[in-house]
Amino acid sequence: MTPRKSEPARLIFRLKHSDADALSASLYTEAEFSRDGDNIEVVESAYSIVDLRARWNTLMRGLIASEQALRFGRE
């Protein structure tokens, strides 16, 4: 059964990064998350799949920008 775009949705995203502390700092205002060592788990919920997709895009843009800043800071 295919979910409808108007149905509530929840996303759990897990990632591992050598600088998880810095990446998780970028999440404080964006999402509910937990960190354990190099592992980060992000939990997002929304009233619709469309809203969850928008939150996902915002979350990913923030993580990508943070990761790039970390990478360029090392050069």
Side-chain angles (χ1 to χ4, degrees):
M1 184 156 137
T2 304
R4 294 185 177 150
K5 290 181 182 180
S6 60
E7 291 181 357
R10 184 171 185 223
L11 168 80
I12 299 173
F13 175 64
R14 294 179 182 101
L15 66 121
K16 185 173 186 169
H17 194 279
S18 60
D19 209 345
D21 189 41
L23 279 185
S24 64
S26 72
L27 296 171
Y28 276 105
T29 60
E30 298 298 326
E32 179 184 332
F33 71 93
S34 61
R35 187 176 65 84
D36 183 20
D38 288 349
N39 299 302
I40 301 172
E41 180 177 281
V42 180
V43 178
E44 278 286 347
S45 298
Y47 292 111
S48 69
I49 293 174
V50 173
D51 188 31
L52 185 60
R53 181 179 177 271
R55 290 175 189 228
W56 167 260
N57 287 339
T58 299
L59 174 71
M60 293 311 297
R61 278 193 294 272
L63 286 172
I64 289 167
S66 296
E67 202 280 328
Q68 287 178 345
L70 289 169
R71 187 172 358 129
F72 291 130
R74 291 184 195 127
E75 294 177 354

